[in-house]
Amino acid sequence: MKHLAVIMDGNGRYAEQRGLERKQGHFMGAEAFVTLVRDFPLLPLEIITVYAFSTENYKRPKDEVNSILKIIATFLENKVYKIARENNVTVKFIGDIYSLPEYFHKIIVSAPVFDSDSKIIVIALNYGGLDEVCRAVNKIQAKKINFITEEIIKDNLDTCGLPFPDAVLRYGGEKRLSNFLPLQTIYSELFFINKFWPEYDKSDILFIIEQFGKIKRKFGGLND
Ligand code: IPE
Ligand code: IPE
Ligand code: MG
């Protein structure tokens, strides 16, 4: 497996079940993400994409939305970038990042970037699959391209230049994609784990990689 996409779900329920506030769950979810970034050099993966905040998550109470975004910003600046730099990991963003609060802009432009051989963490932030498709179509229109090919679609998605995920792993127990990478997951293997994201452990991913290895992937053909 080269590219694993992770839906970091279940922060709120993790906190509520422990009598804590949902925002505390988001804080613990951010800590779990830091652990994942620390583990990345030890994992046999080249790219990890994580779903951090969806376009639909804006429907939540303002207070929760503000807490989530502030926690993400603080963890990126204070922890994630440092670990990524120490390990030659490039950090990229997908999603409608220009609509995020202003304080994110300088954080996003200061993300560590290494050469094309480095491992990559892709953070889906203010990301919605349908929103991404709309923005892709508008980009294509602005370029006055009127014959659309699969390549043109791929090149105008936020994930341009990245391979599609081989697998998606969702935490939190729900079995849905929640507007995450609808085009990019057309041939992804789907895994769901009955643990909340703050309970992340490296062994979860190693187990998924092992299961993935047993699957015969055919991509519509007869062989892999
Ligand atoms: C995922 O955890 C984090 C975000 C959506 C930002 P949730 O906040 O969705 O946690 P649950 O699903 O309510 O437990
Ligand atoms: C998906 O989780 C989004 C993230 C993990 C960032 P949600 O909690 O928003 O998804 P639904 O509402 O259960 O579909
Ligand atoms: Mg959720």
Side-chain angles (χ1 to χ4, degrees):
M1 188 188 308
K2 233 168 117 161
H3 182 180
L4 175 69
V6 181
I7 301 180
M8 307 188 293
D9 192 28
N11 294 348
R13 279 166 290 162
Y14 181 80
E16 282 162 3
Q17 285 186 1
R18 283 157 184 78
L20 304 169
E21 282 184 69
R22 291 182 60 85
K23 64 173 100 165
Q24 289 173 281
H26 296 303
F27 187 87
M28 291 183 277
E31 285 182 324
F33 177 54
V34 169
T35 307
L36 172 65
V37 180
R38 255 197 209 111
D39 291 341
F40 193 16
L42 307 168
L43 293 168
L45 291 169
E46 293 171 22
I47 306 168
I48 299 178
T49 296
V50 293
Y51 204 5
F53 188 83
S54 77
T55 45
E56 287 68 36
N57 289 148
Y58 273 116
K59 291 181 195 161
R60 297 186 183 193
K62 250 202 177 110
D63 180 47
E64 179 167 346
V65 170
N66 290 339
S67 306
I68 297 170
L69 293 177
K70 281 276 182 203
I71 289 168
I72 295 173
T74 310
F75 271 75
L76 286 175
E77 269 198 310
N78 298 346
K79 299 200 174 182
V80 174
Y81 285 3
K82 183 171 178 284
I83 303 164
R85 274 195 197 95
E86 285 165 1
N87 292 287
N88 279 23
V89 172
T90 292
V91 178
K92 293 189 182 211
F93 292 87
I94 56 171
D96 185 9
I97 47 181
Y98 300 103
S99 308
L100 285 165
E102 178 109 26
Y103 61 81
F104 260 109
H105 298 182
K106 79 170 194 327
I107 297 176
I108 286 168
V109 296
S110 64
V113 179
F114 293 94
D115 60 29
S116 54
D117 289 335
S118 84
K119 290 198 175 205
I120 304 171
I121 291 259
V122 182
I123 302 172
L125 194 55
N126 197 16
Y127 176 88
L130 204 49
D131 175 69
E132 180 190 33
V133 170
C134 287
R135 287 184 290 101
V137 172
N138 285 327
K139 284 185 226 167
I140 293 167
Q141 243 172 13
K143 292 176 198 165
K144 302 207 183 328
I145 299 169
N146 46 34
F147 186 78
I148 309 292
T149 61
E150 293 189 7
E151 282 316 307
I152 289 170
I153 304 258
K154 281 186 187 173
D155 289 349
N156 286 281
L157 292 172
D158 295 350
T159 50
C160 157
L162 295 166
F164 287 178
D166 299 297
V168 178
L169 169 59
R170 181 172 186 143
Y171 280 78
E174 315 288 2
K175 295 189 175 61
R176 56 176 173 259
L177 291 175
S178 304
N179 206 8
F180 187 44
L181 303 174
L183 287 177
Q184 297 88 338
T185 52
I186 45 178
Y187 271 108
S188 306
E189 305 298 333
L190 307 179
F191 296 91
F192 303 93
I193 184 167
N194 271 323
K195 270 172 100 171
F196 298 127
W197 171 248
E199 299 173 291
Y200 156 79
D201 186 86
K202 181 162 64 94
S203 60
D204 307 336
I205 292 188
L206 293 173
F207 178 73
I208 293 311
I209 293 173
E210 191 191 320
Q211 298 306 306
F212 176 86
K214 296 181 190 163
I215 299 171
K216 186 169 157 64
R217 305 186 78 205
K218 297 188 293 183
F219 301 98
L222 296 179
N223 300 299
D224 52 7

